Amino acid sequence: MAVEALAAAVRSGERTAVDTVAQAFTRIEEVDASVGAFLELWRDEGIERASEIDRRRDSGETLGPLAGVPTALKDNLSLAGHELNCGSKILSGYRAPYTAGAVERLLAADAVPVGRVNMDEFAMGSSCENSALAVTRNPWNLDMAPGGSSGGSAAAVAAAEVPLALGSDTGGSIRQPAAFCGVVGVKPTYGRVSRYGLVAFASSLDQIGPLTRTVRDAALALGSIAGPDARDSTCSDLPVENYLESIEDGIEGLKVGTIREVRTSALDEDAAEGYGWALRALEAAGAELIEVSVPLIEAAVATYYVLANSEASANLARFDGSRYGHRATGARSLQRMYTDSRSEGFGSEVKRRIILGTFALSSGYYDAYYGRAAHIAEAMRQQFASAFDAVDLLVTPTCPSGAFARGERVDDPLSMYLSDVFTTPPSLVGIPGVSVPCGLDSRGLPLGLQILAPPFADAMALRAARAVELAIGFECSPEAIR
Amino acid sequence: MSLDVEEVRRIAELARLRLSAGEEATFASQLSEIVDYIDQLRAFDAGVALSGGAEPEREVAANDVPVRGRPLLDDFLDNAPASLDRFLLVPQVKATPGGAE
């Protein structure tokens, strides 16, 4: 059952929050041994929170828009008193001393967190295989990667373990796993959702967003977690729209841009075909397709990996064994303790990226790498702004292919990075991106369409995603865990 | 450009990381490939002057209100690998004389 219907039934008293949450735990027990999405379940607390919601309803209180909805949290979102590992050994034993702003809003909307889900270590990866803690599988084919870094969030929703999960997206980490698992994933406009309590990877790019089975559910969830937060100075004060209000308005007469530089030759055959279906669905729904040019998107992956890793090398300096997490034993000096703790605690991909970021920021290389990448990102922002002068929305495939096999790319980091070719440009320019399923490839694996809108036009992107969803009639019903 | 093992070791030291010999060799080859890829940025003429930082939409300043109290400190120290009384405990800044450092 979808978020919207569940919450409505709990609000009206047609079903109890306790039953709803208990059913989620039963489903998780049935399938998570195969899927491997969850790192920890909060069973007693979840049931307790649900019974409190039922009690409040019985006493006549009006419940929130996510009443009783079982929700999974990515392992980088703080919930006070609960362990938070970011998929890393270096944070083992760490307990969040406070609750993230987005999670506070989730609780205020009466959602029920049921556990934390797996991710690539520090959100660095596109397959969930960089997690130091667990293996997560794609519910459509257990040999395939669920995508990443929010692979646990996407897999849990696709396997119908929970109807809603929160993820975080820095260069595609919500949209790419959503596409691989056949669910809807939203990276909101930068600043739409508070990052307070989200473990930082690249602070100028990170955004929290929902993963759900339907576009309406994503709209409902985004409306619940978005909004100002004085504790995140980059969080916008703009009022939050009711994303459901205009969602059924359709896209008749809207100008939808395809990007000339998105070459179908960069896609595998199936992805190119799926993209074609999506474009025809948009046209059938009444959109006018117009080709526009955003030449710098061809520089996006390289730009992204310089900027994101530079920020990561600074943000991850705090993990040194002194204040929390893993501390190496036996070090006789402070410096030695830092180096030993970090070298033991971080996995390979995190080390690789810290080194890359340190290199890009180091004396003698700063101008050639960080400086140039910052220039290009700014120019790309202007190119996107010009494109949005001509069109209302832009579309691309979410990824160049459907899910790849687990193990296929772990030893080739560059090929892993290249799967972010379409998701990194919107991250660099701060605009909203929605991935909506647009069909299955010849292997029976989902494909996604990415819909982009100008800053803070998240509602329009969702509205177009809804039109595509209706036109294509995709059903998220993965074979492997039925 | 390619990064050799010595360069990788030097950058790792700047980042307070120590790599095994195997990691150094693997990283040198993988990072060289990645840096080669990133070097394509030279071909893109950004054509814009980088300002001294984008103009903020608004000035943002947090209220300068001290937060005090045992619970906050307790939460903080609960996560500490080692503490003594109300302080974090860490190894001394300089190595023990005669120690290995």
Side-chain angles (χ1 to χ4, degrees):
Chain A
M1 212 173 177
V3 173
E4 202 182 2
L6 274 180
V10 171
R11 270 202 307 273
S12 72
E14 198 181 306
R15 62 187 296 160
T16 66
V18 167
D19 284 349
T20 307
V21 170
Q23 276 172 21
F25 284 121
T26 304
R27 174 68 180 167
I28 293 167
E29 250 166 47
E30 280 167 15
V31 299
D32 207 57
S34 314
V35 178
F38 280 87
L39 296 172
E40 185 183 5
L41 293 175
W42 303 320
R43 193 183 298 270
D44 293 348
E45 187 186 335
I47 295 293
E48 208 172 295
R49 205 183 288 274
S51 57
E52 176 62 18
I53 290 171
D54 289 333
R55 191 199 59 72
R56 283 173 39 225
R57 204 207 74 87
D58 292 343
S59 69
E61 265 185 63
T62 304
L63 299 177
L66 300 176
V69 172
T71 305
L73 301 181
K74 187 175 179 178
D75 192 27
N76 59 358
L77 290 163
S78 304
L79 178 60
H82 291 77
E83 197 160 344
L84 177 73
N85 298 148
C86 252
S88 181
K89 285 193 292 192
I90 207 164
L91 270 176
S92 63
Y94 174 77
R95 280 185 188 278
Y98 54 82
T99 297
V103 178
E104 281 176 355
R105 286 181 183 272
L106 196 72
L107 296 174
D110 290 326
V112 180
V114 295
R116 60 190 169 99
V117 281
N118 200 21
M119 59 184 279
D120 285 297
E121 184 175 5
F122 285 100
M124 296 175 179
S126 307
S127 68
C128 236
E129 292 166 296
N130 294 331
S131 170
L133 306 179
V135 174
T136 301
R137 302 174 184 84
N138 190 316
W140 291 79
N141 178 333
L142 300 176
D143 294 329
M144 296 293 149
S149 67
S150 310
S153 304
V157 172
E161 295 175 88
V162 283
L164 169 63
L166 293 191
S168 69
D169 189 313
T170 305
S173 279
I174 288 174
R175 292 159 286 159
Q176 185 256 22
F180 277 18
C181 291
V183 300
V184 178
V186 182
K187 183 207 87 84
T189 302
Y190 184 77
R192 186 64 293 181
V193 178
S194 167
R195 293 181 295 111
Y196 175 75
L198 166 70
V199 180
F201 161 14
S203 311
S204 76
L205 306 169
D206 297 339
Q207 268 297 286
I208 297 166
L211 294 97
T212 58
R213 294 164 74 86
T214 72
V215 178
R216 289 188 62 95
D217 284 355
L220 182 62
L222 179 60
S224 303
I225 62 169
D229 187 345
R231 299 161 300 183
D232 169 8
S233 64
T234 64
C235 192
S236 172
D237 287 336
L238 286 177
V240 178
E241 291 169 74
N242 178 347
Y243 297 112
L244 282 173
E245 205 166 74
S246 61
I247 202 154
E248 303 294 345
D249 285 359
I251 51 171
E252 178 86 50
L254 285 191
K255 295 188 171 105
V256 174
T258 58
I259 301 175
R260 185 172 308 140
E261 292 77 16
V262 171
R263 301 182 204 288
T264 41
S265 59
L267 307 175
D268 81 4
E269 212 174 299
D270 287 339
E273 199 181 346
Y275 184 48
W277 300 330
L279 295 182
R280 281 195 292 280
L282 286 161
E283 275 187 314
E288 181 189 352
L289 295 186
I290 297 173
E291 190 182 75
V292 297
S293 177
V294 186
L296 279 174
I297 68 161
E298 293 183 298
V301 172
T303 304
Y304 172 82
Y305 278 92
V306 172
L307 296 182
N309 293 333
S310 296
E311 291 188 34
S313 75
N315 272 329
L316 272 60
R318 70 188 59 153
F319 302 104
D320 59 16
S322 61
R323 285 155 297 176
Y324 34 65
H326 173 73
R327 176 183 291 188
T329 51
R332 274 192 294 255
S333 74
L334 187 63
Q335 197 72 271
R336 183 73 191 229
M337 182 197 81
Y338 290 162
T339 304
D340 288 357
S341 302
R342 289 164 63 79
S343 303
E344 291 172 9
F346 288 134
S348 285
E349 180 62 16
V350 174
K351 289 178 185 168
R352 207 157 28 230
R353 295 206 194 194
I354 289 174
I355 291 171
L356 194 60
T358 305
F359 167 75
L361 292 173
S362 65
S363 171
Y365 295 114
Y366 179 92
D367 289 337
Y369 291 98
Y370 185 82
R372 176 175 280 131
H375 261 77
I376 291 175
E378 180 55 36
M380 199 183 303
R381 194 168 293 125
Q382 292 169 14
Q383 290 185 357
F384 268 97
S386 305
F388 283 123
D389 286 340
V391 294
D392 299 301
L393 296 162
L394 290 166
V395 292
T396 75
T398 306
C399 308
S401 71
F404 46 79
R406 290 186 295 113
E408 189 182 301
R409 300 192 186 186
V410 274
D411 296 324
D412 186 355
L414 184 59
S415 81
M416 192 77 94
Y417 298 173
L418 290 173
S419 76
D420 301 337
V421 62
F422 303 127
T423 49
T424 47
S427 296
L428 289 166
V429 303
I431 59 175
V434 177
S435 179
V436 61
C438 65
L440 296 177
D441 70 8
S442 57
R443 303 167 301 164
L445 298 172
L447 296 165
L449 177 74
Q450 177 177 241
I451 301 173
L452 308 174
F456 297 99
D458 306 59
M460 199 172 18
L462 286 162
R463 180 176 139 199
R466 174 68 178 145
V468 170
E469 181 181 53
L470 284 171
I472 289 187
F474 180 86
E475 193 194 344
C476 183
S477 153
E479 288 283 340
I481 48 100
R482 201 171 285 162
Chain B
M1 69 177 274
S2 67
L3 299 180
D4 57 23
V5 167
E6 283 71 34
E7 183 74 356
V8 168
R9 190 179 305 145
R10 187 187 71 80
I11 304 164
E13 279 169 14
L14 288 174
R16 307 272 180 266
L17 290 171
R18 188 175 41 254
L19 305 176
S20 67
E23 276 178 319
E24 281 176 352
T26 311
F27 280 19
S29 120
Q30 290 171 333
L31 289 168
S32 293
E33 198 190 351
I34 295 166
V35 172
D36 268 344
Y37 178 78
I38 287 170
D39 277 334
Q40 65 166 277
L41 292 182
R42 291 171 201 273
F44 289 93
D45 176 16
V48 285
L50 188 64
S51 60
E55 283 293 307
E57 279 175 44
R58 64 201 157 102
E59 289 300 328
V60 181
N63 293 329
D64 192 11
V65 183
V67 179
R68 291 202 180 86
R70 288 295 298 181
L72 195 72
L73 185 66
D74 288 345
D75 282 345
F76 178 74
L77 289 176
D78 279 351
N79 272 316
S83 62
L84 182 64
D85 191 13
R86 297 172 60 241
F87 297 95
L88 279 176
L89 201 58
V90 293
Q92 55 198 339
V93 175
K94 294 193 98 173
T96 318
E101 193 77 350

